[in-house]
């Protein structure tokens, strides 16, 4: 049996990174901060594997004979977005970070996006996805204009109500934005953010789609493909590599990802399993939801 898996628990940091202050993240230590906030973690399976030997964590032991190898990886590429991190895991290092837009995108660029897609735009600022939909969702439904926003990451996000704009049209518009956002305005990802509901009760749906820039170097996935090694993707990993040498079944929840991981481990005798587990980042991390994150850790341990 020749099989390996990388399972990325997206957004689950352990300890500080050497350059985190450069990104406004002084004090970030996700697992440590959650452990302190809940009065200590009880994660018996991860405890036995040696989690506490990676970093001291309240409530987590340091077994003399851990059940796994353990360690902490520190990033070398500049930047902190999902694309940069996943590329580095697969052997591609960047010499400069992807461009970010903390004050929004140039109006001329958005006007051209509106011309090419046939719809105007709203927003154009760094914002929480749920907050900007709450703020502009009703106006979007009334006018049909795209809600465009970004974040601390190198992303161009387009939100649209599924009953106001057909999903295929949203995806097409994001493909147009991907073609536009190259060269001087290159961003790592364009993200389609469909939502549903009514004012006061808007909810993002599971039909998000990422349009990534293609990797700038040879990745582990490229090397495995050249060697004829099967590759199984779970979660958004295909989007982060622009679909190059990886296909992936997307998972709206951690539970969906765990189910597919178990299936892959049962079925794949030879090959590489590459997983992105999304909710630690998307559902709880972005909202600083400590109780949700803690419950997610308990479910992961189970």
């Amino acid at each position: 049996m020749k099989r390996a898996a990388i399972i990325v628990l997206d957004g689950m940091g352990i300890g500080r990174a050497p350059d985190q202050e450069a990104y406004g993240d002084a004090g970030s230590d996700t697992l440590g901060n959650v452990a302190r906030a809940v009065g200590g973690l009880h994660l018996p399976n991860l405890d036995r594997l040696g989690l506490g030997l990676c970093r001291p964590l309240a409530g987590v032991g340091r077994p003399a004979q851990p059940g796994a190898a353990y360690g902490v990886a520190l990033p070398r590429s500049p930047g902190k977005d999902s694309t940069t991190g996943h590329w580095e895991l697969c052997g591609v290092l960047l010499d400069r970070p992807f461009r970010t837009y903390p004050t929004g995108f140039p109006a001329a660029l958005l006007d051209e996006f509106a011309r090419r897609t046939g719809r105007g735009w709203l927003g154009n600022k760094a914002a929480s996805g749920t907050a900007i939909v709450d703020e502009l969702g009703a106006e979007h439904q009334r006018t049909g204009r795209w809600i465009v926003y970004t974040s601390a990451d190198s992303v161009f996000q387009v939100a649209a109500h599924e009953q106001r704009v057909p999903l295929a049209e949203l995806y097409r518009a994001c493909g147009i934005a991907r073609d536009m956002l190259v060269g001087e305005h290159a961003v790592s990802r364009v993200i389609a953010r469909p939502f549903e509901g009514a004012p006061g009760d808007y909810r993002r749906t599971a039909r998000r789609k990422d349009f990534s820039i293609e990797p700038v170097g040879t990745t582990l996935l490229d090397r495995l493909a050249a060697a004829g090694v099967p590759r199984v993707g779970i979660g958004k990993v295909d989007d982060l590599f622009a679909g190059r040498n990886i296909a992936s079944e997307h998972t709206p929840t951690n539970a969906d990802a765990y189910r597919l991981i178990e299936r892959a481990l049962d079925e794949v005798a030879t090959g590489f399993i590459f997983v992105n587990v999304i909710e630690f980042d998307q559902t709880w991390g972005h909202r600083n939801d400590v109780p949700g994150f803690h419950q997610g850790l308990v479910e992961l341990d189970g």
Side-chain angles (χ1 to χ4, degrees), residues 112-120 144 146 156 158 160 165-181 190-194 207-211:
E112 177 62 14
F113 173 67
R115 187 190 70 78
R116 294 192 193 186
T117 60
R119 293 182 183 271
W146 306 113
F156 181 98
V158 185
V165 179
L167 202 58
E169 184 182 350
L170 172 61
Y171 292 163
R172 184 181 70 84
C174 287
I176 289 170
R178 177 69 280 170
D179 290 341
M180 293 174 60
L181 292 162
V190 174
I191 307 177
R193 290 287 198 174
R207 288 171 284 279
R208 160 187 172 159
K209 185 172 176 61
D210 293 41
F211 297 75

Side-chain angles (χ1 to χ4, degrees), residues 158-259:
V158 185
H161 196 287
E162 291 194 5
Q163 264 54 72
R164 187 63 171 84
V165 179
L167 202 58
E169 184 182 350
L170 172 61
Y171 292 163
R172 184 181 70 84
C174 287
I176 289 170
R178 177 69 280 170
D179 290 341
M180 293 174 60
L181 292 162
V182 295
E184 133 183 51
H185 292 303
V187 296
S188 69
R189 283 179 294 159
V190 174
I191 307 177
R193 290 287 198 174
F195 65 97
E196 62 187 3
D201 186 32
Y202 288 127
R203 302 172 303 279
R204 294 199 291 200
T205 73
R207 288 171 284 279
R208 160 187 172 159
K209 185 172 176 61
D210 293 41
F211 297 75
S212 181
I213 197 167
E214 188 156 320
V216 296
T218 302
T219 72
L220 171 64
L221 299 170
D222 299 331
R223 295 181 184 279
L224 292 173
V229 177
R231 299 152 320 282
V232 175
I234 297 170
K236 65 180 183 181
V237 289
D238 57 340
D239 288 342
L240 297 172
F241 290 83
R244 197 170 86 191
N245 287 318
I246 187 74
S248 186
E249 187 167 349
H250 285 215
T251 51
T253 69
N254 285 7
D256 292 317
Y258 301 153
R259 174 178 53 82

